[in-house]
Each structure stands twice: as structure tokens, then as C-alpha cells.
């Protein structure tokens, strides 16, 4: 990256860091089950809601307890269940039309990051019907309050239940972009570990390593605070101690509960301290080829950390020391032990070392997309331009 762009990126990131204490961050109110939802709706004078989910979650009956609670309290609802992984602008428009035609006044998401982000997209379109969704890509462009929004994560996972982000894919261009603004932080999050019991092992593994990626990228960036560093450390410890159990013993309550908590903590960390190039590259792959977000991140994480090299040694070593993953006194050794720990977890979870489906001829365009997402926003340990990002695609492609 040329020196002018480097300066621009670092000044931009510094400005966001300096403004951090002034930003209106908040966290959702946590509730432990759907039985509490009708009272929340009544308190907010809501009589009709849109439930946003996907076919897999719906078919497993994971919205049934919510529907029963709404029926018992005579609250009308309509279900949008066609959200796809890497949710699209078409999903958002179709769900928004249901919201409007049923006179809904609130949105409840039941699902992974895809359903939660689709629901956030609906909220944006309701609050800002004047503009298409793509207009809000980037930071601080939504401005207006969304309708009451309750998020129920069914993966442990994205942390979308506490973040100010929605990641949406343009149905026509396949460009996947994050929208970041404070009104997107859910008002309530239903944290119910039993709802994740049926998450298949491979999805448990990859969505859990997505949460690991949030914690690590937030920790090694330049925009951390004491609070986000502490959240990242706790999340890394919880994931390291519980992910293999959740993978091999899906109904283990403690492991599922700890994973849900870890994903939430990692969400609180990265929503303030940002992610890095792992996410920028993963989003481009999700948009172009539909590669699942968790899978892309878990495979990319050790590759990108290795490429950061000496620029990330000090912070990775600190993370390794604070989590007890390594006590090596040399930063280089401790950092490499941390990367080896991630590789060991990936192996234990049968996560592949490479990603299938990436085409050489697409790489320059993919790298440009990742460059546009990551720079200047992400406060990464070392800045890479599109040319340097191309290398990451070649390292990860099968
Ligand atoms: N908003 C944010 O802050 C944020 C952060 C990271 C990622 N994301 C986005 O979130 C999306 C990925 O979300 P995800 O990883 O949670 O997966 P997902 O929502 O795409 O779900 C993946 C699959 O898991 C199934 N599933 C979900 N919960 C289940 C359960 N309890 N039991 C059985 N099956 C279940 C779904 O049916 C689906 O087929 C991506 O688009 C990504 O970009 C958003
Ligand atoms: Fe993620």
C-alpha cells in the first residue's frame, strides 16, 4: 500500500478510536426465553409482529414456542422463513413487504446471523423507505430509529444479537456489504442455549470459530479498549474450553451455554473494536460464491494471522498469555503457539485447511472488494492493499 493511503487509513482509524467514548453504544436487554416476549411487546403497545427466520430453523420447530406464546396472548404475527445463508436484498424486500401488508409494528428474528441480519435489513427499510439498502453500506448512514427489534440467536456465532452490523448481499451483483450504525443494535436478545442443541456438528464448529475470529480480530486491532480486550480474552477462553464438547456432545447444556455467552462477548468486542482482513476476505467469498461465513472465517483465520507475521506477534502473544494458551516468554513463540492452537482446534473440528470453489480469474475483483471493505475502516495490525490481499485468496484456495 502506498504511503499516502497508509496515512489516510491510520488517520481515519485514529479518528474513530478518539470518538469511541462519544458514540452511543448500548447492549440489548437479555431475556432468557420466549415466554417473556409477549410482555415486552405489550409494554411497547405492539399488536402485530414479523418473525424472520429460515427454512432450516423453521422446519426444526424452533419458532414454535414463540408462536405459542404470541397466540396465547392474542398477538398477531406473520412468519418470513425464506432467509438464505448470506441473506440478500431480495430476502429483505420480501420480508419488508410482509411487514407492511400485515401492519406489523415489531420484528423478531429467530435464527443465525443470516436471519438476524435480514431482520435488521427490514428494520432499515421500514425506518428509511426513501433509499435502497445498498445506500446504507458503510458506517453511520442509517440515522433513524428502527422498529422494536428482538433478536434470538440459534447459532453461537455471529454475535449479531449485540452488534450494530447487518451484512447483506446484493441479489444482482453478489456484492456482500456490512451496514454499521447504532440503531441496528437489537433492543432485546433472547438467550436460550437449548435452541442451539440441534445445530449440526459442522455448523457448531464453523459458527463457533466465527465467534473466535471476532474475538481475535478485535483483540489484535488498534482500536481496543480495556473492556473489549477483556471480552475478547474471556470469549477465546470459553470457546477454547467448550467448542469441542459442543461439537461432539450437542446437548451438553454447559458447553452450549458457554458458547452462546462467548459469541455474545465476542460480538460486544468487535462491534466496538472492529474486525480485520479475515472478515473482509470472507465477506467477498460469501457474496461471490455463497461460501458460508463461519467456514470461510475458520479456514482463513490461521492463514491471515500467519501472514500478519511480526506485526501481530506482540498482541497475539498477549492473547496467548492472558488465555493461558502459551507461557512462552518470546512474543514470536507465544504468537505462533496461539496460531497452532487455532489450527489444532480446526483439526479437532474437522474444518478443512483450504476452501473449494475460488477461481483464479475472480481473484483481482474479490481482492478489490475486500480492500474496499477493510480500508480505511478496519484497524488491522498491518495494512494491505488489493494487490497484497490477492495473496490471501491464493493461499486459501484449493
Ligand atoms: N451482524 C453481525 O454482526 C454479523 C457478524 C458476523 C457474521 N454475520 C453474518 O451472519 C451470517 C452467518 O450467520 P450464521 O453463521 O449464524 O449462520 P446462518 O444464519 O447462515 O445459518 C446457517 C445454517 O444453520 C442453520 N441453523 C441455524 N441455527 C440452527 C439450529 N439451532 N439448529 C439447526 N440448524 C440451525 C440454518 O438453518 C442455516 O441453514 C453471514 O451472512 C455473516 O456475514 C453477521
Ligand atoms: Fe463473523
Amino acid at each position: 500500500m502506498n504511503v499516502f493511503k497508509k496515512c489516510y487509513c491510520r488517520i481515519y482509524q485514529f479518528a474513530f478510536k478518539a470518538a469511541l467514548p462519544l458514540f452511543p453504544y448500548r447492549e440489548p436487554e437479555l431475556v432468557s426465553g420466549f415466554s417473556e416476549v409477549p410482555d415486552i411487546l405489550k409494554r411497547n403497545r405492539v399488536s402485530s409482529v414479523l418473525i424472520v427466520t429460515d427454512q432450516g430453523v423453521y422446519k426444526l420447530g424452533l419458532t414454535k414456542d414463540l408462536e405459542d406464546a404470541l397466540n396465547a396472548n392474542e398477538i398477531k404475527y406473520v412468519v418470513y422463513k425464506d432467509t438464505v445463508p448470506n441473506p440478500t436484498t431480495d430476502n429483505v424486500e420480501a420480508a419488508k413487504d410482509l411487514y407492511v401488508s400485515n401492519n406489523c409494528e415489531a420484528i423478531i428474528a429467530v435464527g443465525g446471523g443470516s436471519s438476524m441480519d435480514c431482520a435488521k435489513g427490514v428494520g432499515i427499510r421500514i425506518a428509511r423507505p426513501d433509499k435502497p439498502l445498498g445506500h446504507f453500506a458503510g458506517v453511520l448512514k442509517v440515522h433513524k430509529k428502527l422498529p422494536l427489534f428482538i433478536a434470538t440467536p440459534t447459532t453461537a456465532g455471529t454475535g449479531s444479537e449485540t452488534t450494530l452490523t447487518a451484512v447483506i448481499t446484493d441479489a444482482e451483483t453478489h456484492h456482500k456489504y456490512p451496514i454499521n450504525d447504532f440503531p441496528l443494535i437489537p433492543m432485546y436478545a433472547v438467550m436460550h442455549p437449548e435452541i442451539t442443541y440441534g445445530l449440526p456438528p459442522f455448523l457448531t464448529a464453523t459458527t463457533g470459530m466465527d465467534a473466535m475470529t471476532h474475538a481475535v480480530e478485535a483483540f489484535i486491532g488498534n482500536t481496543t479498549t480495556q473492556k473489549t480486550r477483556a471480552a475478547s480474552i474471556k470469549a477465546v477462553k470459553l470457546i477454547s474450553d467448550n467448542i469441542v464438547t459442543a461439537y461432539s456432545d450437542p446437548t451438553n447444556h454447559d458447553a452450549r451455554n458457554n458458547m452462546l455467552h462467548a459469541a455474545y462477548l465476542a460480538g460486544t468486542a468487535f462491534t466496538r473494536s472492529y474486525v480485520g482482513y479475515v472478515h473482509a476476505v470472507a465477506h467477498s467469498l460469501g457474496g461471490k460464491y455463497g461460501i458460508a461465513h463461519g467456514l470461510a472465517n475458520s479456514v482463513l483465520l490461521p492463514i491471515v494471522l500467519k501472514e500478519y507475521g511480526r506485526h501481530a506477534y506482540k498482541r497475539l502473544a498477549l492473547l496467548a498469555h492472558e488465555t493461558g494458551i502459551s507461557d512462552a516468554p518470546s512474543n514470536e513463540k507465544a504468537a505462533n503457539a496461539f496460531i497452532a492452537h487455532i489450527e489444532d482446534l480446526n483439526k479437532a473440528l474437522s474444518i478443512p485447511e483450504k476452501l473449494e470453489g475460488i477461481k483464479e480469474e475472480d481473484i483481482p475483483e474479490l481482492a478489490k472488494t475486500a480492500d474496499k471493505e477493510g480500508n480505511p475502516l478496519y484497524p488491522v495490525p498491518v495494512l494491505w492493499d488489493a494487490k497484497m490481499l490477492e495473496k490471501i485468496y491464493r493461499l486459501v484456495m484449493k
Side-chain angles (χ1 to χ4, degrees):
M1 184 181 288
N2 73 54
V3 69
F4 296 109
K5 193 168 170 194
K6 263 189 196 161
C7 286
Y8 166 64
C9 289
R10 291 309 191 198
I11 290 168
Y12 185 99
Q13 292 158 15
F14 179 78
F16 267 83
K17 186 175 180 174
L20 206 55
L22 309 173
F23 283 145
Y25 277 106
R26 57 182 172 82
E27 285 187 34
E29 194 175 310
L30 301 185
V31 297
S32 57
F34 288 135
S35 58
E36 295 175 51
V37 169
D39 276 349
I40 296 171
L41 296 174
K42 284 181 195 164
R43 275 205 304 277
N44 287 277
R45 299 177 203 285
V46 168
S47 57
S48 178
V49 297
L50 171 72
I51 299 175
V52 178
T53 187
D54 67 40
Q55 288 287 350
V57 167
Y58 187 76
K59 281 187 189 141
L60 280 170
L62 300 183
T63 58
K64 181 151 187 324
D65 288 350
L66 172 62
E67 294 181 58
D68 289 347
L70 296 176
N71 283 329
N73 286 275
E74 293 176 357
I75 296 170
K76 284 188 279 174
Y77 65 88
V78 58
V79 186
Y80 177 75
K81 46 180 174 296
D82 290 327
T83 312
V84 294
N86 302 310
T88 67
T89 43
D90 283 355
N91 289 151
V92 173
E93 288 309 303
K96 184 215 69 178
D97 289 346
L98 267 188
Y99 181 102
V100 171
S101 58
N102 288 276
N103 299 316
C104 296
E105 297 157 320
I107 309 168
I108 305 178
V110 182
S114 297
S115 296
M116 291 190 280
D117 287 2
C118 180
K120 289 179 180 181
V122 175
I124 297 170
R125 291 285 289 126
I126 296 298
R128 296 291 310 266
D130 52 321
K131 296 263 173 7
L133 213 49
H135 173 84
F136 304 103
V139 275
L140 307 181
K141 293 190 183 154
V142 177
H143 303 311
K144 269 198 170 165
K145 200 168 173 245
L146 270 46
L148 178 73
F149 173 44
I150 303 175
T152 314
T154 65
T155 61
T158 66
S160 183
E161 66 276 11
T162 187
T163 71
L164 51 66
T165 305
V167 196
I168 304 290
T169 299
D170 187 295
E172 275 169 32
T173 63
H174 300 289
H175 174 221
K176 186 172 177 178
Y177 52 85
I179 302 172
N180 304 287
D181 204 349
F182 295 98
L184 275 62
I185 303 172
M187 281 73 147
Y188 296 87
V190 184
M191 302 294 279
H192 183 40
E194 285 84 357
I195 213 165
T196 66
Y197 282 6
L199 190 64
F202 192 65
L203 281 169
T204 300
T206 51
T207 54
M209 290 308 283
D210 177 29
M212 174 71 95
T213 309
H214 298 153
V216 175
E217 292 207 291
F219 190 90
I220 64 174
N222 293 326
T223 307
T224 65
T225 65
Q226 203 178 10
K227 194 177 161 193
T228 64
R229 288 193 296 276
S232 282
I233 291 164
K234 197 156 182 212
V236 170
K237 270 197 205 154
L238 282 171
I239 297 165
S240 299
D241 292 346
N242 291 280
I243 193 166
V244 177
T245 309
Y247 172 80
S248 54
D249 180 11
T251 57
N252 185 305
H253 183 82
D254 285 349
R256 289 297 196 184
N257 193 32
N258 287 332
M259 286 302 295
L260 203 57
H261 185 47
Y264 181 90
L265 282 171
T268 65
F270 91 82
T271 202
R272 290 165 177 78
S273 296
Y274 307 92
V275 281
Y277 290 135
V278 177
H279 268 80
V281 172
H283 287 154
S284 72
L285 295 172
K288 180 79 183 168
Y289 307 116
I291 297 177
H293 178 75
L295 173 64
N297 276 332
S298 18
V299 179
L300 280 160
L301 180 59
I303 292 173
V304 172
L305 292 180
K306 277 185 195 163
E307 281 304 302
Y308 283 152
R310 63 184 172 81
H311 301 282
Y313 283 163
K314 198 169 158 201
R315 287 176 195 160
L316 279 178
L318 183 61
L319 191 52
H321 292 153
E322 292 290 333
T323 51
I325 286 165
S326 169
D327 58 5
S330 128
N331 282 347
E332 181 175 353
K333 284 209 173 100
N336 285 330
F338 187 86
I339 299 170
H341 169 72
I342 300 291
E343 288 176 325
D344 289 347
L345 281 180
N346 277 357
K347 242 181 230 134
L349 300 166
S350 300
I351 291 171
E353 287 176 19
K354 304 260 174 180
L355 292 171
E356 289 188 37
I358 302 172
K359 294 195 190 112
E360 173 61 39
E361 64 266 30
D362 295 336
I363 289 179
E365 205 51 48
L366 288 164
K368 269 191 209 151
T369 311
D371 176 29
K372 204 168 158 212
E373 177 181 325
N375 303 318
L377 186 61
Y378 296 161
V380 283
V382 56
L383 292 164
W384 293 337
D385 58 13
K387 219 55 240 133
M388 291 171 80
L389 284 161
E390 285 184 16
K391 184 176 177 196
I392 301 298
Y393 294 87
R394 297 197 174 97
L395 286 171
V396 78
M397 72 194 280
K398 197 163 185 175

